[in-house]
Amino acid sequence: MATELQGHLVWLDPIVLNPEQSGHATPKALASALRRELGAALEAQGYERKDLERCVYVIRMIGDFSIAYPEDYSPVLYIGRGDASVRLGHHLRNWLTEVRTFGHEIRIEVRICRPRRRARADLFKHVEARLIRDFQKANGAIPFFNSRRESKFESGARFTKTDERRFRAAIGLGKRTPPKWAIQPTPANPAYNVYYKGHAT
């Protein structure tokens, strides 16, 4: 039986990146620029790279477009865990810059959580699993670029009411102006199979 674990889930201030930066036409140049922007934002909050190990992060869109999931629409693209600076750099190189093709003036928001509890170095895995599970329950699918649920870590940890509120804020629509469109890829889109794999999970 899971026990109530005392400690802190520290959420950094949301970090906003702009894939439509002028002067960065190639994906490689754009990814490099976004990595610098991310690093500067983290430094401004007083965090170093070593502080971002064992983190959980939620990648979202800001703008007129959201993703059409089976049960609802959402700006969430991906929920991940690990060394946030390394993992986010990997995403920027591999697929995150493609988000700029979704629509005009799309920006990327990254929300990073640092779960820290005594004698629970694996807590970040449970936080990620909980966020993915809650997202699927609300939207009928896991996030666009996630490939699976982390079922192994969905039990074994309980969270406070404050934690629950922060989870809902991280994966919900938020208080900004609601997006005007909810989109999904067609078979001509390279991300089509990734999107529908999440529906079947």
Side-chain angles (χ1 to χ4, degrees):
M1 178 179 176
T3 57
E4 183 72 32
L5 300 174
Q6 301 302 315
H8 299 282
L9 302 185
V10 177
W11 288 85
L12 280 64
D13 293 335
I15 296 169
V16 178
L17 307 175
N18 184 6
E20 290 197 340
Q21 298 174 87
S22 60
H24 300 291
T26 69
K28 183 177 179 180
L30 177 58
S32 295
L34 292 176
R35 281 198 299 273
R36 291 192 297 272
E37 193 175 339
L38 175 65
L42 292 170
E43 184 177 350
Q45 294 190 46
Y47 290 98
E48 300 177 8
R49 178 172 175 173
K50 62 181 178 61
D51 298 321
L52 300 182
E53 297 176 352
R54 294 184 288 116
C55 285
V56 177
Y57 53 92
V58 180
I59 300 175
R60 305 161 52 97
M61 293 191 299
I62 302 174
D64 288 340
F65 293 88
S66 62
I67 302 299
Y69 291 103
E71 301 297 330
D72 207 346
Y73 60 91
S74 171
V76 175
L77 294 168
Y78 186 81
I79 298 170
R81 62 174 161 88
D83 186 321
S85 62
V86 173
R87 294 297 309 281
L88 288 167
H90 174 79
H91 299 320
L92 287 170
R93 288 192 305 273
N94 288 278
W95 60 264
L96 201 44
T97 56
E98 293 303 314
V99 172
R100 63 179 172 171
T101 67
F102 287 6
H104 182 58
E105 294 184 353
I106 290 291
R107 290 174 295 157
I108 297 164
E109 182 182 70
V110 182
R111 300 191 183 184
I112 300 174
C113 176
R114 299 181 68 241
R116 297 292 187 269
R117 282 179 180 157
R118 184 175 298 175
R120 287 305 301 265
D122 67 343
L123 183 62
F124 71 113
K125 299 177 182 179
H126 294 278
V127 173
E128 181 207 32
R130 176 60 183 272
L131 287 170
I132 295 174
R133 187 199 73 177
D134 288 357
F135 185 89
Q136 184 177 40
K137 284 185 175 181
N139 297 283
I142 62 177
F144 195 145
F145 289 99
N146 283 88
S147 60
R148 64 182 184 277
R149 279 176 62 166
E150 298 292 343
S151 302
K152 178 180 178 181
F153 298 104
E154 286 180 2
S155 61
R158 293 172 61 189
F159 301 97
T160 67
K161 291 182 179 179
T162 298
D163 294 335
E164 301 280 357
R165 287 195 296 270
R166 297 302 298 269
F167 291 162
R168 289 193 292 272
I171 63 174
L173 283 173
K175 297 180 180 180
R176 290 190 175 92
T177 303
K180 297 179 175 64
W181 297 88
I183 61 174
Q184 63 187 53
T186 68
N189 191 311
Y192 179 84
N193 289 333
V194 175
Y195 174 76
Y196 280 100
K197 181 177 182 181
H199 285 220
T201 301

